[in-house]
Amino acid sequence: MALQIEQFTCSSDNFGVLLHDSRSGQTALIDAPEEHSILEAVERTGWTPSLILITHHHGDHVKANLALKERFGLKIIGPKAEAATIPGIDETVEEGSPLDFAGHRIRVIATPGHTAGHVSYHLPEASIAFTGDTLFALGCGRLFECSAAVMFSSLQKLAELPPQTRVYCGHEYTLSNARFALSVDPANTALQERAAEVESLREDGKPTLPTTIGAELATNPFLRWHDPAIRRHLGMEAATDAEVFAEIRRRKDNF
Ligand code: ZN
Ligand code: FE
């Protein structure tokens, strides 16, 4: 695989990601949170982006669109349902739209929940997924435009990706997510170990991303609706998976 990734912090807790194909020399940017951090990353890597893949329309993901378009003349692709609120968008995608980057197939997965049109991008051959503000390390996005049931079915789709899939997310929220996760899944030893690891990474100022689907399945309460210990902890042994998810989301909102 000729794909390389540069992940970097934008603003306080957003991530920018440059995806570079060394064979063709092409570069794509995943979301456009902050112009100057992106320009620094472009400078550092020498990778000039020709494409931005947008996950959703929130300001902290599209803020640099127009400035980068002006500077690099790049193409902006984003979710069809949010096209009206994504500055500079050239092409729209939805679930299953044919899409590729430098010969690498990209599966567009509709993952509404945080916003109604949110999409995630999965590169199956490279085993990489960009999940924006849908799936975070040890967490999931807040429900701004959809019900818990909608987010639940989006997370179900992501949970079915191969466990080795490397997951890049929109934000560094892992430390506070870990504290919440321990409150609903206190006896999970994999989670305890991961929380300690996250704490020491953050103490050293290091990112906790990317994660993997496998790590999330073992430790992220928002993907563990089936787990007997969590259900017992919540007193929801007989509830549906969607109900368990909704209760965990509700608790996180009030944590
Ligand atoms: Zn957002
Ligand atoms: Fe965001």
Side-chain angles (χ1 to χ4, degrees):
M1 258 318 150
L3 281 175
Q4 291 169 270
I5 288 183
E6 172 82 2
Q7 175 185 258
F8 50 94
T9 302
C10 291
S11 312
S12 59
D13 57 38
N14 276 86
F15 282 116
V17 171
L18 286 171
L19 176 67
H20 179 73
D21 176 70
S22 51
R23 223 165 340 190
S24 65
Q26 288 184 64
T27 302
L29 177 68
I30 316 303
D31 286 338
E34 185 187 44
E35 186 186 7
H36 90 91
S37 303
I38 294 167
L39 294 180
E40 274 174 20
V42 167
E43 178 98 351
R44 184 164 68 239
T45 55
W47 303 342
T48 303
S50 57
L51 172 68
I52 308 178
L53 296 173
I54 297 291
T55 60
H56 68 293
H57 67 101
H58 280 161
D60 61 318
H61 298 257
V62 304
K63 210 175 355 179
N65 278 16
L66 295 178
L68 295 173
K69 188 165 202 172
E70 181 152 331
R71 181 180 292 263
F72 298 118
L74 42 68
K75 179 159 87 179
I76 300 175
I77 294 179
K80 186 176 184 182
E82 298 180 357
T85 46
I86 297 174
I89 192 164
D90 297 293
E91 271 178 36
T92 62
V93 290
E94 55 193 332
E95 173 94 21
S97 292
L99 184 63
D100 89 284
F101 164 68
H104 304 272
R105 180 167 64 99
I106 300 179
R107 282 178 60 225
V108 179
I109 307 173
T111 50
H114 176 70
T115 65
H118 193 297
V119 297
S120 296
Y121 298 98
H122 175 220
L123 285 74
E125 282 81 25
S127 242
I128 300 168
F130 301 102
T131 63
D133 288 1
T134 298
L135 176 65
F136 293 127
L138 295 176
C140 79
R142 272 178 177 270
L143 306 176
F144 285 119
E145 301 178 8
C146 296
S147 65
V150 170
M151 180 59 115
F152 170 70
S153 52
S154 294
L155 291 171
Q156 268 185 318
K157 291 190 211 174
L158 297 176
E160 283 162 14
L161 297 179
Q164 72 275 15
T165 308
R166 277 176 297 152
V167 178
Y168 291 83
C169 314
H171 293 269
E172 177 62 73
Y173 289 159
T174 319
L175 186 57
S176 60
N177 286 346
R179 290 181 182 139
F180 172 74
L182 285 167
S183 78
V184 292
D185 196 11
N188 181 339
T189 50
L191 172 60
Q192 293 163 0
E193 282 163 27
R194 187 169 180 204
E197 201 178 299
V198 163
E199 198 139 340
S200 84
L201 283 168
R202 295 310 294 152
E203 266 168 27
D204 297 343
K206 290 184 183 145
T208 62
L209 277 290
T211 177
T212 63
I213 292 294
E216 295 313 309
L217 289 173
T219 55
N220 185 335
F222 295 95
L223 299 183
R224 294 172 54 72
W225 43 70
H226 54 270
D227 183 71
I230 292 183
R231 285 169 160 261
R232 214 175 310 120
H233 185 84
L234 299 175
M236 295 183 80
E237 285 97 331
T240 64
D241 289 347
E243 286 166 348
V244 172
F245 168 76
E247 173 60 17
I248 296 170
R249 186 59 260 180
R250 197 188 59 73
R251 287 185 182 220
K252 175 71 162 71
D253 290 341
N254 301 313
F255 187 66

